[in-house]
Amino acid sequence: YEFQKKYKALSDKQFDMDNENKMIQMQMQYDFDKLNSNKKEARLFKEIDLRENTAKTLLIKYVSSIILIILLIFALLILKHLHKKKKKKNTIQNYNDLLNQQNQAIQLSLVQKNILLKEIHHRVKNNLQIITSLLTIQANDTQDYQVVDLIEIGLSKIQSMSSIHETLFLFEHLDEINLHDYFEKLLIKLGEMYGKENTKFTYIINT
């Protein structure tokens, strides 16, 4: 009986040791499986983070590319607008320069024409004075009254021409001649040349 009791005790102890070993093995296997599971989970999370980071990087690159393209297009539009504006400004400047050159040429032409007109006026005036002087000398040298009358008629016409020429030259613009004043001066001159002493005459000018 004592032997059985010891055998049972040993068997129970062996069973307990076997159970303990199995428990240890099971615990170790559980820990190992858990460790592997944690490693897999960590690897999975790492892959997920990597994919997310990759996706974020691609998204950032994509958005940056779009923003860069938009900025380039905007810059090109601004450059194109500035080029058109500069071209338009240059065109306007060239047109203004051309107008200024034309105006200067016109002003120079007008000055030259005014100089020529003054020169022509002085020459005509001098020629009329010379003719008047020659006719006056001829009238004083001749004794033929008919010739004298003809010379006086010629002188009156020359004086009329001279008066007309002098009056026209006084106006700066020939298209703005005051005909009333001109005819009035002309009639007064004719009255002085052909009128007799103590003779009055009247005139009506309709212009």
Side-chain angles (χ1 to χ4, degrees), residues 24-164:
I24 292 172
Q25 289 179 359
M26 290 176 64
Q27 183 66 38
M28 291 177 64
Q29 184 66 36
Y30 173 76
D31 293 338
F32 181 76
D33 293 339
K34 186 177 181 180
L35 180 62
N36 289 333
S37 177
N38 290 335
K39 288 182 178 180
K40 290 180 179 180
E41 187 175 353
R43 192 181 299 113
L44 180 61
F45 282 132
K46 188 175 181 180
E47 290 180 358
I48 291 173
D49 291 337
L50 181 61
R51 290 179 182 178
E52 288 181 353
N53 292 330
T54 304
K56 288 180 180 179
T57 303
L58 291 175
L59 180 62
I60 292 172
K61 289 183 178 179
Y62 179 72
V63 173
S64 300
S65 300
I66 292 176
I67 293 174
L68 182 61
I69 292 172
I70 292 174
L71 290 176
L72 288 174
I73 293 173
F74 186 69
L76 289 174
L77 290 175
I78 292 176
L79 290 175
K80 186 176 181 181
H81 175 72
L82 292 176
H83 179 70
K84 285 184 178 180
K85 189 175 181 180
K86 184 177 180 180
K87 186 177 180 180
K88 184 178 180 181
K89 184 178 180 180
N90 292 334
T91 302
I92 294 174
Q93 185 65 37
N94 293 333
Y95 181 73
N96 290 332
D97 293 340
L98 181 61
L99 286 179
N100 290 331
Q101 292 177 1
Q102 291 178 348
N103 289 331
Q104 291 176 359
I106 292 172
Q107 292 295 331
L108 180 62
S109 177
L110 289 175
V111 171
Q112 292 175 348
K113 287 181 179 179
N114 287 330
I115 294 174
L116 289 175
L117 284 174
K118 288 181 180 180
E119 181 66 22
I120 291 172
H121 167 70
H122 288 301
R123 289 188 180 185
V124 171
K125 184 178 180 180
N126 291 335
N127 290 334
L128 290 175
Q129 288 177 350
I130 291 173
I131 294 172
T132 300
S133 298
L134 292 175
L135 290 176
T136 301
I137 293 173
Q138 185 67 32
N140 293 330
D141 290 342
T142 185
Q143 301 296 326
D144 191 342
Y145 293 105
Q146 291 182 351
V147 175
V148 172
D149 290 338
L150 292 174
I151 292 175
E152 288 180 352
I153 292 173
L155 286 172
S156 65
K157 291 182 179 181
I158 292 172
Q159 289 177 354
S160 297
M161 292 171 60
S162 179
S163 176
I164 293 171

